[in-house]
Amino acid sequence: MDPESMARALLDAQVEWTVNRLTGDELPGLAAGLVDDVLAVAETVTLASLADPETIKSIARMLSTTVPPSVAASTLVERGAEILMSNPAGTYALGEVVDRDNVARITDEVLALTPLIEELLDDLTRSPLTATLASRFVGRIVNDVVAGNRAVAEKIPGIGSLVSFGSKAAGRAIGTAGDQFETLFGDTAAKGAEFMMGRLNKIIIAMLNDPSARAAVLEVFDLYAGKPVKPLSEIISIDDANRIAGIGQDVVIAAAVAEPVHKLIDAFIDGFFAIYGDLPAAEILDDLDLTREILADYAVTAAPRAVAAVADSGELDRIIRDHLAPFYTSPEVLEILSGEA
């Protein structure tokens, strides 16, 4: 047998042997062994020696730019909206998914930010339109209160005619400004909208500073904690859900390409390598509570299915052969098979 024929025979034999190992009963052991080999290397090799931070940053930037606007992302966003609308979780209470202690902690943190909220509200007064809207809001509240008191007073014998007379007199005094208090208040607020919004801001801040604010939030949570959460399909339509999801995706697409976001990604990667870069890679798995048993179990479970799918496609034999053939057709191997080495 000439060297070329012998090389082809050896290649066929090794391909068949490898395929049999990957598709037979040995595969679970091979998968577990591969996990052990990887972990053995991870025990001695640092993360910084395995991966370059700059390369990871480049990959992260690429993914943040290309993935959000991709067809796959759009498809998943639409499908995600449909899944949420179908309510796969069934009937459940708010308290089953949101812990009361966490609500209390979040409330404490938000209330602690009251000075920041106050500063933000004060900044909003610089917007004339926002201030006008706030003054109109207060005006409607005051108007409703006055109207409510008038309705109650008119039911009292002897008081109704007095209230009616007062209203007519006020109407004549207002003249062309209109019959309703809201209109009068709105005209006045147009000149002092900033002042009115400042007063509204003080009311909001006073409410947040009230000692009972925390208890009120928790009381509201307790009122709804045991009640079934209304399915999303009863609140909005599927078209609304898809539209809102699309808007969310557009926001992510626009933000993901922004340089400040890329700098933030870079900073997180630098921070990660600052912690784990000089440590053995296995330290990351330990800190994630991923033991050898967990990894091996998943590898043993997943490998047979994945390899079987490749084998059924008819590509497994070709892939192995393409990787091994260069070795058997190399001059060095042919020289050995010819007996000239």
Side-chain angles (χ1 to χ4, degrees):
M1 183 180 290
D2 60 87
E4 288 78 7
S5 299
M6 188 178 299
R8 286 195 294 272
L10 288 172
L11 174 60
D12 291 340
Q14 186 169 5
V15 169
E16 182 180 1
W17 177 79
T18 304
V19 170
N20 289 337
R21 293 192 75 195
L22 293 177
T23 57
D25 296 335
E26 292 184 70
L27 181 56
L30 292 174
L34 178 61
V35 171
D36 289 335
D37 291 339
V38 171
L39 291 178
V41 173
E43 290 287 347
T44 58
V45 179
T46 64
L47 178 64
S49 64
L50 289 173
D52 176 27
E54 296 305 317
T55 301
I56 302 300
K57 292 178 186 178
S58 177
I59 294 173
R61 285 180 172 234
M62 179 272 296
L63 292 176
S64 70
T65 302
T66 59
V67 172
S70 67
V71 174
S74 299
T75 302
L76 290 175
V77 167
E78 183 176 351
R79 182 55 180 159
E82 295 173 355
I83 291 173
L84 290 175
M85 291 294 291
S86 67
N87 192 31
T91 302
Y92 62 93
L94 180 63
E96 294 182 53
V97 293
V98 181
D99 185 73
R100 190 180 192 277
D101 290 340
N102 288 333
V103 174
R105 293 168 59 192
I106 294 173
T107 302
D108 291 338
E109 294 300 327
V110 172
L111 294 177
L113 294 176
T114 299
L116 179 61
I117 297 174
E118 183 176 11
E119 182 179 347
L120 176 61
L121 292 175
D122 288 341
D123 286 341
L124 290 178
T125 60
R126 299 177 183 176
S127 168
L129 183 57
T130 302
T132 300
L133 289 174
S135 65
R136 289 176 181 172
F137 170 72
V138 175
R140 289 190 177 97
I141 294 177
V142 173
N143 190 48
D144 288 345
V145 171
V146 172
N149 290 338
R150 180 194 304 165
V152 173
E154 288 177 346
K155 296 179 181 180
I156 303 176
I159 300 297
S161 58
L162 180 61
V163 172
S164 178
F165 173 78
S167 296
K168 292 178 181 179
R172 288 193 298 269
I174 293 173
T176 58
D179 296 327
Q180 296 189 12
F181 182 83
E182 180 179 357
T183 304
L184 173 61
F185 190 85
D187 292 340
T188 304
K191 302 176 182 178
E194 184 175 344
F195 169 78
M196 184 56 64
M197 185 169 182
R199 298 301 303 169
L200 178 61
N201 292 347
K202 291 184 180 301
I203 293 173
I204 295 174
I205 297 303
M207 181 184 67
L208 293 177
N209 285 327
D210 193 301
S212 63
R214 182 180 188 273
V217 173
L218 295 178
E219 184 179 76
V220 172
F221 174 80
D222 292 336
L223 289 174
Y224 291 94
K227 296 181 179 180
V229 176
K230 182 179 292 188
L232 192 61
S233 58
E234 297 183 11
I235 302 175
I236 59 175
S237 67
I238 183 63
D239 291 337
D240 293 333
N242 284 328
R243 186 178 65 258
I244 295 171
I247 293 173
Q249 182 185 9
D250 290 342
V251 171
V252 173
I253 291 172
V257 298
E259 186 59 25
V261 174
H262 286 174
K263 290 182 178 180
L264 181 63
I265 293 174
D266 291 347
F268 274 112
I269 293 174
D270 287 336
F272 182 80
F273 274 87
I275 297 173
Y276 291 104
D278 296 330
L279 298 176
E283 289 283 344
I284 303 175
L285 299 177
D286 291 339
D287 286 356
L288 292 173
D289 292 331
L290 294 175
T291 64
R292 182 266 175 197
E293 288 71 22
I294 293 175
L295 298 175
D297 285 345
Y298 279 109
V300 169
T301 302
R305 182 185 180 91
V307 174
V310 178
D312 292 342
S313 71
E315 292 295 310
L316 183 59
D317 185 286
R318 180 194 62 78
I319 293 172
I320 296 173
R321 186 176 298 276
D322 288 348
H323 280 78
L324 295 177
F327 170 76
Y328 286 101
T329 57
S330 64
E332 293 82 1
V333 171
L334 293 177
E335 183 180 357
I336 292 173
L337 295 177
S338 66
E340 296 179 1

